[in-house]
Amino acid sequence: MASDPKPTILIVDDEKEYAKATSMLLQHSGYPAYVAHGAVEAMSLLRVITPRVILIDVMMPEVDGLTLLRHIGSKPEFLHTRLVVVSANGLAKNRAAAWLAGADAFLGKPYSFDQLHEIIEHVLGESSSSDSRLPQ
Amino acid sequence: MALARVLIVDDNHAMVEALSIVVGSKGHDTRVAYSGEEALDLIRAEMPDVVLLDLKMPGIDGIETLGRLRAMPGGAVVPVIVVTATDEDDLEQRVAAAGANGILRKPVDVADLTNRIAELTQ
């Protein structure tokens, strides 16, 4: 019997090599993975796909990752989508800012294959038991 | 930017911690309270320069807390920013009528938050 298909993941990162490598790692593990190199491209993709997980880089030109995160988080159609902030700057204040913006998890750059998998499994595990992105 | 004593009032401990980190990272001196009653006790001991106030809390809620603060000696002029996930149509009017100086929606835009604190403490 065929197993359930793995959930779709969207990677939003203006660093094309990083996005490509992450996408390849996820696809190798069986996740359907899409890539957007900025917020505008991401929002275009999100008109046709509803990923279960979105990895969002913080430092992007034009629209930064946290602004994109808040925008996605405000849309009811993405209530069950888990949002992971990715940043090379893992200072406590940046992690706190990501959490306040509605992130479900934070992934520091550079990340290993294992760290990427761990965070994906972590947020997918939470998604079945929690509908609330932020505490009230 | 003037550094301020900022009182953070929210029954959600994770929210208090996150707000404390980002506000403290700007050099402000933070105090925290996990209920309206605790906030009013802290305010009686030392008047803050700014209050970040959640609305939905057990015990006395944010609006009631704000009303009691405004009735205290010296409490009428303390800037209060309501930080809330509540999405009611008349919220802005209710909050303004209760005497708040501003409202910030959760999820929180940290840049907006720190700009508001800077404006209110100039």
Side-chain angles (χ1 to χ4, degrees):
Chain A
M1 192 172 77
S3 58
D4 289 340
K6 289 212 172 187
T8 300
I9 298 174
L10 171 63
I11 302 140
V12 188
D13 197 329
D14 63 309
E15 290 187 69
K16 294 188 176 177
E17 289 304 315
Y18 233 104
K20 185 179 175 185
T22 303
S23 166
M24 287 173 66
L25 285 172
L26 291 171
Q27 285 176 352
H28 181 72
S29 299
Y31 292 101
Y34 293 81
V35 168
H37 297 300
V40 172
E41 196 179 338
M43 291 314 298
S44 295
L45 265 174
L46 291 172
R47 289 194 195 100
V48 290
I49 62 168
T50 305
R52 284 282 301 285
V53 180
I54 308 179
L55 304 174
I56 305 175
D57 185 44
V58 172
M59 293 289 287
M60 294 191 293
E62 297 173 3
V63 180
D64 70 87
L66 295 190
T67 300
L68 175 64
L69 179 92
R70 284 195 307 278
H71 183 68
I72 295 170
S74 70
K75 294 189 170 296
E77 60 266 38
F78 300 114
L79 181 66
H80 299 287
T81 297
R82 300 296 111 179
L83 303 173
V84 179
V85 163
V86 181
S87 174
N89 193 337
L91 290 176
K93 66 177 182 178
N94 295 325
R95 289 173 177 267
W99 190 84
L100 286 168
D104 295 290
F106 187 99
L107 180 61
K109 267 184 174 178
Y111 47 80
S112 68
F113 180 74
D114 286 345
Q115 288 168 325
L116 175 64
H117 261 265
E118 194 176 308
I119 210 87
I120 297 289
E121 293 296 321
H122 172 68
V123 295
L124 286 174
E126 281 189 338
S127 63
S128 61
S129 60
S130 171
D131 287 342
S132 171
R133 181 158 294 122
L134 257 187
Q136 303 294 305
Chain B
M1 182 176 71
L3 300 181
R5 287 165 299 184
V6 180
L7 175 61
I8 298 162
V9 190
D10 199 312
D11 62 312
N12 183 290
H13 287 232
M15 180 60 70
V16 168
E17 184 183 357
L19 287 172
S20 294
I21 291 170
V22 297
V23 172
S25 74
K26 295 292 178 185
H28 299 301
D29 186 12
T30 60
R31 300 279 189 278
V32 303
Y34 301 102
S35 69
E37 292 91 339
E38 190 180 352
L40 293 169
D41 284 343
L42 284 175
I43 291 167
R44 281 185 202 98
E46 182 185 43
M47 195 63 74
D49 298 311
V50 180
V51 179
L52 304 181
L53 181 64
D54 184 31
L55 285 186
K56 287 190 174 176
M57 296 184 288
I60 60 170
D61 65 12
I63 296 288
E64 177 65 23
T65 303
L66 180 53
R68 294 191 194 185
L69 166 62
R70 291 299 184 229
M72 287 170 127
V77 295
V78 179
V80 174
I81 302 170
V82 165
V83 183
T84 183
T86 305
D87 192 21
E88 296 163 9
D89 289 341
D90 63 343
L91 183 67
E92 300 215 4
Q93 293 93 317
R94 281 203 305 124
V95 163
N101 301 77
I103 183 166
L104 270 177
R105 307 279 183 170
K106 299 174 185 174
V108 176
D109 180 342
V110 167
D112 193 12
L113 169 66
T114 53
N115 286 341
R116 300 266 193 113
I117 293 172
E119 288 166 11
L120 290 168
T121 55
Q122 276 176 350

